[in-house]
Amino acid sequence: MSIFSDFIAGSLNDKVEIVKSANSQEVSQDFFESSIRFALDNKSLIENHPAYYPLLLSSIKKINSSANEQTDDLLLKIYNDFTDYNLRLAVLNAFSLIKVDNSQVAVLVKDVVAQELAKNDLSTLDIFVAGLNALANIKYIDAFDLIFECYKKNICEEITFSSCNALYALAPLYNEKISSLVDNGDLTDKTLAFNIVTTNPNKDKD
C-alpha cells in the first residue's frame, strides 16, 4: 500500500504516526499538504480529538522548499485561523523555506516581527527569530526599515544574527535604502549600513 492509502485507512492516531515517520526528503510534499487539508477540512468533526493538533503540527513541520506554489496560501490560513503558539511557530518556520508568492504573507510576517520588536522582551524569542528568517526568505524590501531597527537595537545575539541575515538577503534591492542611511543617518546608522554592505557574503553576486 502507498503512504496515501495507509493514511486514508488509518485512525487519527495512525495518521499522526504516519506523518511523523515519513521522510520529507523522500515523500512527496503533496502528501503532507494533503494531510494538512484533511485536518482543516474536518476541523469541525475532529478538532477535539487529542491527535488533531499533533497531526496538523507534524504535517506543517514536514513542509520544505519543494512545497507546491499554493502552500503559502494554505499556511497563511492556518496562521490566521489558529492561535496556538506551536502551530504559528511552525508556519513561520515553513515560510522561511518555501517559495512565497502571496503578498499577504509578507505583510503578515512583517507585522509579526513589528509586534515582537515592540514587546521589548524575549518571552517569544522563537517567534521573533522565525519571523526574521521568513522575511529573509521572502525578501520583502518594504520590511527593510523594520529589519534594520531590529539589527540596530542589538537585542540579543539571535535577533542580531537573524536580522543581519535578513538584511543580507535584501541585496541588491536594498541599495537605495543603504544609500539613504549613509547620506542621512546618524553615525550608528552609517556604521551599521557600511557593515552590512561590506560583510554581505552575497555582495559579489549582486
Side-chain angles (χ1 to χ4, degrees):
M1 296 177 66
S2 70
I3 192 171
F4 284 95
S5 299
D6 290 341
F7 183 87
I8 293 171
S11 67
L12 205 55
N13 287 320
D14 292 336
K15 287 176 170 54
V16 174
E17 293 307 313
I18 290 170
V19 170
K20 285 184 175 180
S21 63
N23 186 328
S24 61
Q25 301 302 317
E26 298 176 357
V27 176
S28 170
Q29 286 288 291
D30 289 339
F31 170 71
F32 303 112
E33 291 163 22
S34 294
S35 177
I36 293 173
R37 293 187 187 280
F38 168 84
L40 294 179
D41 292 345
N42 294 282
K43 180 183 177 184
S44 62
L45 299 175
I46 60 177
E47 184 179 13
N48 293 325
H49 193 288
Y52 180 75
Y53 278 85
L55 175 62
L56 197 50
L57 181 60
S58 58
S59 300
I60 296 170
K61 286 184 174 181
K62 295 290 184 173
I63 297 298
N64 61 32
S65 58
S66 298
N68 295 317
E69 291 184 2
Q70 294 77 27
T71 304
D72 55 347
D73 298 332
L74 186 63
L75 294 175
L76 178 63
K77 176 175 174 55
I78 294 172
Y79 196 97
N80 288 330
D81 288 356
F82 295 87
T83 59
D84 181 83
Y85 182 91
N86 289 323
L87 284 180
R88 286 189 161 186
L89 177 59
V91 168
L92 289 172
N93 284 331
F95 283 148
S96 72
L97 299 173
I98 68 173
K99 180 180 179 181
V100 174
D101 291 322
N102 189 330
S103 61
Q104 294 180 40
V105 172
V107 173
L108 168 71
V109 177
K110 179 186 176 185
D111 287 345
V112 169
V113 172
Q115 290 165 14
E116 291 299 314
L117 179 62
K119 287 167 62 173
N120 287 319
D121 69 64
L122 300 177
S123 60
T124 50
L125 177 61
D126 288 345
I127 291 286
F128 202 159
V129 170
L132 286 167
N133 292 341
L135 287 176
N137 179 53
I138 297 169
K139 297 178 175 58
Y140 187 42
I141 189 60
D142 286 351
F144 176 91
D145 292 343
L146 172 64
I147 300 170
F148 188 82
E149 186 66 18
C150 294
Y151 180 60
K152 182 178 180 179
K153 284 197 170 184
N154 196 26
I155 300 167
C156 68
E157 183 178 351
E158 293 89 343
I159 296 301
T160 301
F161 179 80
S162 292
S163 56
C164 182
N165 283 337
L167 290 170
Y168 284 161
L170 288 175
L173 299 173
Y174 66 19
N175 288 348
E176 184 175 336
K177 295 282 189 178
I178 292 291
S179 296
S180 179
L181 286 170
V182 171
D183 292 340
N184 306 310
D186 58 26
L187 181 59
T188 299
D189 287 347
K190 295 177 188 292
T191 301
L192 293 175
F194 180 78
N195 181 65
I196 288 295
V197 173
T198 56
T199 62
N200 192 340
N202 302 316
K203 62 179 181 295
D204 293 333
K205 302 175 184 178
D206 297 350

